[in-house]
Every structure is written in structure tokens, then in C-alpha cells.
Amino acid sequence: LSTALTASLALRILGKKVEQSCSPIWRLSRVAFGSTMDAVCETEGCENAAKLRCPTCVKLGIPGSFFCSQDCFKGSWKAHKGIHGMTAAAPKNLTPQEQLLASSKWSHFSFAGKLRPWPVTPYRPVPEHIPRPDYAETGQPISEQQAKRVGKIRVLDDDEIEGMRVVGKLARECLDVAARACEVGVTTDEVDRLMHEAAIERECYPSPLNYYNFPKSLCTSVNEVICHGIPDTRPLEDGDLCNCDITVYHRGFHGDLNETLFVGDVDEKSRHLTQVAYDCLMKGIEIVRPGTKFREIGNVIQAHAQAQGCSVVKSYCGHGINSLFHCAPNVPHYAGNKAVGVMKVGNTFTIEPMINAGTWRDVSWPDDWTAVTQDGKRSAQFEQTLLVTETGCDILTRRRENGGLPWFMDKK
């Protein structure tokens, strides 16, 4: 190979060790880059005018790297060459998502499945005239924290029940907006925007927004995400499962529900998982009536899930809901739990089983919110807000279309 060709090849192989002999590259440097004006040699102790630059540094976009002669360059080589390796290893021309994954928060995290985080857009404001819960400004639900210490399961009066009926209907309308938007190519951030605007139009505050500093107005949990996924700029893909979990706050009360939605053409295993998750919710609802222990819900849910080859997540549970987003009782979805309390007329709470195709175990992403399956397999979930009545219960967040059936059944 000619001297010039050898040098050219060396310049192209970025990220690999530069040869110890710098003579061929240095001679190329004279021809290719010429003299440097008003620059001083960077060799320690040398103040001669620089005539040349390191061609590898030029190629890598490293500023400076001026030398007066080949001898000075050779003398500085041992210290100088480290710059090339550091720069060649540094990310270049990365997309915003690649930059995110290369950041210190994510670069060393071991993902269980195929999903990755994408950039999150800024916080969406809520108009001042809309009433909001106590955590809207500070991120800390003080009233909820105080109630937790007492642990009392509230029985609502007629006016409070009416407030829950109204907010349940509004929450359902907002979920329907999100469900219509979940199509191939649409980002979950766009779904968040549409739901946020739907809430504002109904004079509702989107309850997740700034709850313990959560950055968005709903949770979007895709594929192996169990719950609390943060809407971001990833476009939904054909075959995805996307759970939209929506809560709104209206005139002093919260209404909470979620559904797992099909995006495009979903495989049979995911369809089966989603059907099992919905059936688990309905089996739990079937036993809601005065006198039933809250712990019994987990028994019927786990029995069905296991019979269908699925598992039940244990780390997250249903909860009381009223003027507080989360309060007593806790409603676990797995068998043998030790939940406290017996259902009474006027109790309002959620059932929201998270059903996994593989293990029930979960891990959390470094964003401190996103919970995913430990084995990377998919998860599905459904949720409703319920009111205990004399004869059973009312589903306050039920769908008003298609006989109350969930959205995924529209695509069966």
C-alpha cells in the first residue's frame, strides 16, 4: 500500500487504536491540511509556531491539536493518542432517543424486554379556573398521607355518591378519547395531549399530573409495562398492547379506570392475555356486595388467571377512591392476601388486576415510575371504579357504548 492510502485507511477506522508509528499520517497532514496560522505548538514546553495539525483529530472534529514538527508530534504521541479513543467512543449524531439511552440514568440499565424509553415532552399546564387536588402544585398529596395514617374506609353520603357518579362518567369520556387515538404511528405523548385537552374541556384536573411529580396526565403502559408508563414520543407500532390508565378530578372527587387496547393487528397470545385480564376484572366485580371481605377479590381473580396460564402481579393493588386519589381499602388481586375490611353500602373503590403472560414479578425502570415484567413478557390490565349498593355494585366508570364492553372487543 502507498503511504497516502495507508493513512487514509487509518483515518477511516474510528474507535480503533491508532498505530504507534505516526510518520505516514503526519506526512499526509502536511499535504491535506497545510499550515496553521497564529497557532502555537501544543507540545509541553514548546512555544514554536505550529505548522501542522493531527489529521485524526481533524477527522474526529477535535479542536486544536497543533504541532510545530513531526518530532514534537512523536514526542507528544503517548499523551495525545488518548484523545482519539475517548472521542471515537463518544456518541455522535444520535437521535434524541439514542441520546436518552446513552445518558447516565439509562446507559447501564438492563432491560427485560424490547421496549425502551423515548424523550418526554414538557409538562402541560392546567387553566387556573379548574379546581385541583392539594398535590397539584407541590407534588405531595398531604390529605392522602394524613388519611393513610387513620386507615378508615369511608362510607359516602348521597351528595358524595352523586359527585362520584358525575366524575366517573367524565373519566369514562376521557378514556374513550384516548382509546380512539391509540392507532399505529400515534405517539403516547399525542394520546396524553388529547386526553389532557378532553379533561380540560370537561373542567376536570387530570389526577396523575404532578402526583408525586408524575409528569403526564395519564399512564400509558405498552407491552411488557405493567403500569405507570410515562407517555413519550415513541410511535405506537402494529401489534402493540397499550393500556391507558385515566383518572380525573372534578368538583372534589376522583374517577379512575383503565383499559388495555389493541394497536393494529395483535397476535393471538396477546389477545388471550387481554381477554383473561378483562375476565379477571369482571369475576372480581361479580362478588362485590355488602358483607364481602375485600380480601376475597384476590382469590377469585388468581384462580381464573392461573387456570388460563397467566399470573397475577402482587406489587400493585386496587384502592379506595373518593375525594382522595388513593385511600383505604387496599384491594389486592392475588389469593391469600391479608387485606382488611368488609364491603358496606356507600364504599367506593377500584378493582384493577394486572395479569402477566409470564412471571408475576416486576422490576422498575430508572424513571422511578415505569413497572415492567421481570421476564419481558407482556402484561394486560383493566380497571373500574365501583360503588357498593344494597344489591351489589354500580360500575361508575362503565362504557356507555357497545353494551359496556371494553374497546378491545370492538376489534375482535
Side-chain angles (χ1 to χ4, degrees):
L1 292 177
S2 69
T3 299
L5 182 56
T6 302
S8 177
L9 287 172
L11 286 172
R12 291 180 187 177
I13 305 173
L14 301 182
K16 294 186 177 180
K17 185 177 180 180
V18 179
E19 296 181 43
Q20 293 297 323
S21 174
C22 60
S23 299
I25 299 176
W26 190 254
R27 284 197 288 270
L28 176 65
S29 150
R30 285 181 179 275
V31 176
F33 304 111
S35 63
T36 57
M37 300 184 64
D38 301 323
V40 176
C41 180
E42 296 182 10
T43 300
E44 186 176 355
C46 181
E47 298 181 358
N48 293 332
K51 299 177 181 179
L52 303 166
R53 289 186 68 190
C54 171
T56 302
C57 288
V58 173
K59 183 72 173 180
L60 293 174
I62 302 171
S65 300
F66 297 122
F67 298 91
C68 67
S69 66
Q70 182 174 324
D71 288 340
C72 268
F73 185 43
K74 284 183 177 180
S76 302
W77 178 247
K78 187 173 182 179
H80 178 78
K81 66 179 180 179
I83 298 174
H84 302 155
M86 289 187 294
T87 307
K92 288 182 173 58
N93 301 319
L94 298 182
T95 65
Q97 196 236 357
E98 290 169 336
Q99 292 177 27
L100 176 67
L101 292 175
S103 67
S104 58
K105 177 185 284 189
W106 296 98
S107 59
H108 299 295
F109 182 71
S110 179
F111 291 92
K114 295 180 180 179
L115 193 72
R116 299 292 184 271
W118 284 56
V120 176
T121 60
Y123 174 98
R124 290 188 168 91
V126 176
E128 290 296 328
H129 72 275
I130 293 180
R132 57 203 67 209
D134 62 356
Y135 57 80
E137 301 301 327
T138 66
Q140 297 299 312
I142 302 301
S143 299
E144 196 173 291
Q145 293 167 355
Q146 292 172 343
K148 185 177 181 180
R149 289 194 287 268
V150 177
K152 182 179 179 180
I153 302 173
R154 285 180 57 187
V155 173
L156 304 189
D157 62 29
D158 289 345
D159 289 340
E160 291 171 323
I161 288 172
E162 180 58 26
M164 288 297 293
R165 290 189 185 279
V166 171
V167 74
K169 178 176 181 293
L170 296 175
R172 163 52 66 177
E173 291 174 2
C174 289
L175 185 137
D176 290 345
V177 169
R180 294 186 188 98
C182 284
E183 298 290 347
V184 175
V186 178
T187 66
T188 50
D189 181 74
E190 176 66 6
V191 176
D192 179 81
R193 182 187 69 80
L194 292 168
M195 181 270 154
H196 182 92
E197 292 176 356
I200 300 307
E201 289 170 5
R202 292 161 176 79
E203 296 192 351
C204 294
Y205 181 91
S207 303
L209 189 62
N210 209 36
Y211 180 77
Y212 287 107
N213 306 122
F214 188 80
K216 289 296 177 180
S217 297
L218 81 159
C219 300
T220 51
S221 300
V222 177
N223 297 338
E224 68 264 28
V225 179
I226 295 170
C227 60
H228 303 158
I230 300 174
D232 59 26
T233 50
R234 174 190 180 271
L236 290 169
E237 298 178 359
D238 186 49
D240 280 347
L241 295 181
C242 181
N243 178 278
C244 289
D245 192 342
I246 287 171
T247 312
V248 296
Y249 178 81
H250 179 77
R251 297 181 181 177
F253 296 95
H254 296 270
D256 189 3
L257 75 160
N258 75 57
E259 289 193 18
T260 296
L261 307 161
F262 292 165
V263 181
D265 186 16
V266 176
D267 64 69
E268 285 303 318
K269 288 183 178 180
S270 296
R271 288 176 179 271
H272 173 71
L273 173 67
T274 304
Q275 183 68 58
V276 172
Y278 176 68
D279 292 343
C280 283
L281 169 67
M282 297 311 295
K283 287 186 179 296
I285 291 175
E286 284 173 4
I287 68 167
V288 174
R289 62 180 61 86
T292 298
K293 295 177 181 179
F294 287 104
R295 69 182 62 171
E296 292 299 323
I297 291 173
N299 295 334
V300 298
I301 287 175
Q302 183 162 330
H304 181 71
Q306 286 186 338
Q308 298 298 317
C310 300
S311 64
V312 181
V313 173
K314 297 182 180 181
S315 300
Y316 303 93
C317 62
H319 53 89
I321 185 169
N322 37 65
S323 59
L324 302 176
F325 191 175
H326 299 94
C327 57
N330 287 331
V331 186
H333 306 112
Y334 58 91
N337 69 80
K338 301 185 185 303
V340 175
V342 175
M343 298 176 196
K344 298 179 181 178
V345 175
N347 291 158
T348 48
F349 61 94
T350 71
I351 301 177
E352 47 185 300
M354 289 142 273
I355 308 301
N356 294 350
T359 180
W360 59 268
R361 299 181 186 278
D362 63 279
V363 294
S364 295
W365 277 6
D367 60 16
D368 297 326
W369 280 105
T370 307
V372 299
T373 58
Q374 188 183 69
D375 56 12
K377 294 183 179 181
R378 290 189 168 189
S379 183
Q381 181 189 17
F382 290 85
E383 175 186 19
Q384 300 279 17
T385 295
L386 310 171
L387 165 69
V388 181
T389 66
E390 294 284 355
T391 58
C393 72
D394 288 348
I395 303 175
L396 302 182
T397 48
R398 71 188 185 281
R399 190 179 178 192
R400 269 65 177 178
E401 303 169 348
N402 199 22
L405 295 175
W407 279 84
F408 83 92
M409 289 190 176
D410 294 359
K411 294 189 176 183
K412 291 189 70 173

